Structures are given as structure tokens and as C-alpha cells.
Amino acid sequence: MTQLRREALTRAAAELLWERGYTGTSPAMILERAHAGQGSMYHHFSGKAELAAAAMAHMSDQLRSRTEDALAAAESAVARINAFLDLERDPLAGCRMGRLAQDHEIVADDGLRVTTADFFTWLGDRLSAVLAEGVRAGEFRPETDPDVMASLIMATVQGGYVLARAHQDPAGFRRAVAGAKQVVASLVVGSGQR
């Protein structure tokens, strides 16, 4: 029961952090969402920051799992990168980790910020590794810089979320992803792009 209550609090905090950010999420909101009593949070966590750190780690684990599944879904590097770009997302809700990286209180707290930084470092490394495999296999042109391309792909996805949210239209996200796919396709040996 104790572990279930801790997990419920963590899930509730993760949902609220995604919806409202750190500043906009109060302990009372977390308790209400988790259907937990007043003392429940402080039984499991020292306070809001420790619970937020656990919730952010939970979000990071979920996103890493989804990303790994996408990157393992195909043989070619192009198909693997496209599978990542095609992951089902809610552009109007924004990226779980990307939104937190823009939250002032999270950025100001090294203990919280490190979770977002670690996630994006991991994601960049994973995308870069797939791109590097494509270069080694002769799928991508040899001058392709996997680290630069990984950063471009991540920045495009995050920018797509911003465009979709700013216009309240997922089309902005879809156009950004389509642009990233075009860039990746242009790196394929024999694509004719220079």
C-alpha cells in the first residue's frame, strides 16, 4: 500500500507538472489528484521539490522507453529517425521535459534542472548514435555530423511544440517534423541533394 501511494503521488505530480509547470502546481493539487490524505506526501517525500524530482524522473523514464521503442522499430537509420519523429505526441500539450526546461523555478534549482538536462543529453546521444550508424553503414553521406544532426532534430521537435502551442494548431508541429524528415532524407547517399 505504501508503494502504491508513493506511485500515485508521483504520477499525479508528473501530470500536474506537465499541465501547469512547477510554479503552478501546489502540494494540495497533487494530493487531490492522487486522492491522498494531507500527511501522505510528507510521509513519502520531504517536500514539493523532492516529489517533483521523482515525478520528473518518472516522466524521463517514460519518454526514454517510448524513444527506445521507436528507435528499435526499423532496420535503416532513416526509418529509425523517422519512427522517432513520428511518435504519437500531443503538440498542444507540449513536451513533458521541454516544458519543464522553460520553468524558471526548475531552471533555478540545480537538483531539478539536472533531470531535464540529463534527459536531453541522453536523447541527443541516442539520436547521434543512430545517425552515426547510418554514416558507418553508408546510408548517410560521410560528411554528415551525427551530433549536429541530433541537435537539429531535437530543436526542431521542441520548436514544433512551441509553434503548435503559440497558434493552438498542431499543424505547426507537423510542418516542423516534415521539415526534419526532409533534412534527414537529404543526407541519404544518392539523394541528389548538395
Side-chain angles (χ1 to χ4, degrees):
M1 183 68 166
T2 301
Q3 184 62 25
L4 290 176
R5 180 62 60 208
R6 180 181 174 89
E7 289 171 7
L9 288 164
T10 302
R11 279 192 309 274
E15 291 168 5
L16 286 163
L17 287 171
W18 186 21
E19 294 167 14
R20 305 179 61 87
Y22 185 81
T23 305
T25 299
S26 71
M29 291 174 177
I30 296 168
L31 292 170
E32 182 179 337
R33 178 78 57 101
H35 305 290
Q38 187 68 28
S40 193
M41 184 172 118
Y42 297 102
H43 174 73
H44 297 286
F45 302 97
S46 63
K48 179 181 171 183
E50 185 181 1
L51 175 52
M56 290 169 66
H58 174 73
M59 287 189 283
S60 177
D61 290 346
Q62 287 182 318
L63 291 171
R64 287 177 193 229
S65 177
R66 290 184 69 224
T67 299
E68 287 293 356
D69 288 348
L71 293 177
E75 299 265 336
S76 74
V78 170
R80 293 167 69 195
I81 294 296
N82 285 345
F84 166 75
L85 289 167
D86 287 336
L87 275 170
E88 186 175 333
R89 297 175 171 99
D90 181 353
L92 298 182
C95 173
R96 290 174 183 259
M97 297 307 285
R99 287 190 67 190
L100 295 175
Q102 297 173 41
D103 189 302
H104 172 73
E105 285 194 48
I106 286 176
V107 173
D109 183 326
D110 286 341
L112 294 174
R113 183 191 54 76
V114 72
T115 303
T116 58
D118 286 350
F119 172 77
F120 285 111
T121 298
W122 172 85
L123 179 58
D125 289 347
R126 286 298 293 124
L127 294 171
S128 182
V130 171
L131 291 157
E133 289 171 22
V135 171
R136 284 192 301 276
E139 186 179 348
F140 292 129
R141 296 197 309 252
E143 66 271 19
T144 301
D145 185 323
D147 292 337
V148 168
M149 283 307 305
S151 291
L152 178 66
I153 290 165
M154 289 189 303
T156 301
V157 169
Q158 292 303 311
Y161 279 121
V162 170
L163 294 172
R165 287 175 58 81
H167 296 287
Q168 285 298 289
D169 182 356
F173 183 86
R174 290 192 298 269
R175 283 191 299 271
V177 166
K181 286 181 169 183
Q182 285 183 6
V183 171
V184 171
S186 76
L187 301 174
V188 173
V189 171
S191 65
Q193 303 277 334
R194 295 286 176 228

